[in-house]
Amino acid sequence: MAEGWVLLPLKALSEAKSSFREILTPEERKELVLCMLEDMLRVLSYVRMRKVVISCDEEVLRFARSLGAEGLREPGLELNLALTLGMERARREGAEEVLILPADLPFLRVGDVEEIVGGGGERKVVISPSRTLGTNALLLRPPGVIPLRFGGRSFPLHVEESLKAGIRPRIYRSPTVATDVDGVEDLLAAETLGLGTRTRDFLLSLGRNRFVR
């Protein structure tokens, strides 16, 4: 039986989470990014799919490999092109489906992944929107069945591409998938959604007053 792949794209650590420049130091932003990736890979370790982290940053790739994932180096491509590189490799190696997850979903749960990948069909698209109408999970069966439109309000664009391809997408909604960590309010959400995560422990170690204005 062909296997599925999970693709997790991640920028260079020096560029990641620039939205927190005013409240976190470069080292703290780097630690936050690695904490989130570790939390996601811990959850994904219970899922029978190949986990592939895509990045131009060798430190990110080494860290991913130390946690049991595979690392795929990309040469600093735009996000959709980097993911296309990963999908092409998955397809060449016999993947039946790919699940694309941004690497800033530390509140992800095993049940979320099981719900997204569950169900049959030769052609299938499952989309999980963010709270700002981005795309926080995208399952494609087979890989490349629709063009990628990540960036900004990509959720309606992915829905549109699915319909163009003759596929009625399934929409999966969950607070633990919808909450990516990209703003101060998301850091505060870690207190309730992030129980048991390294991300929550790290943020609490910084002190709650850092994020309250």
Side-chain angles (χ1 to χ4, degrees), residues 4 6 28 33 43 48 55 62 74 76 81 94 101 107 112 126 153 159 178 184 190 195 204 211:
V6 183
E28 288 169 343
V33 169
V43 167
R48 295 184 65 181
S55 181
R62 285 197 305 270
E74 55 90 3
L81 292 176
L101 298 171
F107 315 133
D112 291 319
V126 183
R153 293 163 64 93
V159 171
V184 173
L195 291 174
L204 290 178
F211 315 120

Side-chain angles (χ1 to χ4, degrees), residues 11-132:
K11 294 180 182 178
L13 290 173
S14 60
E15 301 174 10
K17 293 304 161 194
S18 58
S19 55
F20 295 129
R21 279 179 180 156
E22 293 186 5
I23 58 173
L24 298 178
T25 67
E27 280 302 311
E28 288 169 343
R29 293 201 310 271
K30 171 182 171 180
E31 184 67 19
L32 173 62
V33 169
L34 295 179
C35 283
M36 291 191 292
L37 180 58
E38 180 173 341
D39 285 328
M40 291 188 70
L41 290 176
R42 177 179 54 81
V43 167
L44 291 168
S45 70
Y46 295 97
V47 178
R48 295 184 65 181
M49 300 175 79
R50 284 176 69 174
K51 297 85 181 173
V52 180
V53 175
I54 304 172
S55 181
C56 63
D57 191 319
E58 189 57 40
E59 183 176 355
V60 168
L61 300 178
R62 285 197 305 270
F63 185 76
R65 293 178 186 120
S66 75
L67 295 172
E70 298 176 49
L72 175 59
R73 187 175 182 86
E74 55 90 3
L77 300 171
E78 180 269 337
L79 175 59
N80 291 296
L81 292 176
L83 285 168
T84 298
L85 183 72
M87 282 202 302
E88 288 174 351
R89 175 173 167 182
R91 189 163 43 213
R92 286 197 307 270
E93 297 190 22
E96 181 181 79
E97 63 187 10
V98 295
L99 171 60
I100 298 171
L101 298 171
D104 59 356
L105 303 177
F107 315 133
L108 183 75
R109 298 290 181 260
V110 175
D112 291 319
V113 181
E114 290 175 342
E115 286 291 329
I116 291 168
V117 303
E122 291 184 2
R123 299 174 80 240
K124 171 178 162 181
V125 175
V126 183
I127 313 170
S128 189
S130 73
R131 294 183 300 179
T132 56

Side-chain angles (χ1 to χ4, degrees), residues 187-204:
L187 296 177
L188 296 173
E191 290 194 40
T192 53
L193 292 176
L195 291 174
T197 64
R198 185 181 167 199
T199 299
R200 180 178 185 270
D201 292 343
F202 170 68
L203 292 172
L204 290 178

Side-chain angles (χ1 to χ4, degrees), residues 128-204:
S128 189
S130 73
R131 294 183 300 179
T132 56
L133 293 184
T135 302
N136 276 1
L138 181 65
L139 180 79
L140 302 179
R141 182 188 297 170
V145 69
I146 66 169
L148 300 180
R149 295 288 183 259
F150 283 96
R153 293 163 64 93
S154 61
F155 170 63
L157 299 179
H158 284 132
V159 171
E160 181 180 354
E161 292 292 354
S162 299
L163 296 174
K164 284 181 182 177
I167 301 170
R168 184 174 181 177
R170 178 161 62 88
I171 310 304
Y172 177 74
R173 300 182 187 275
S174 162
T176 48
V177 179
T179 307
D180 47 17
V181 177
D182 210 31
V184 173
E185 67 280 4
D186 304 319
L187 296 177
L188 296 173
E191 290 194 40
T192 53
L193 292 176
L195 291 174
T197 64
R198 185 181 167 199
T199 299
R200 180 178 185 270
D201 292 343
F202 170 68
L203 292 172
L204 290 178

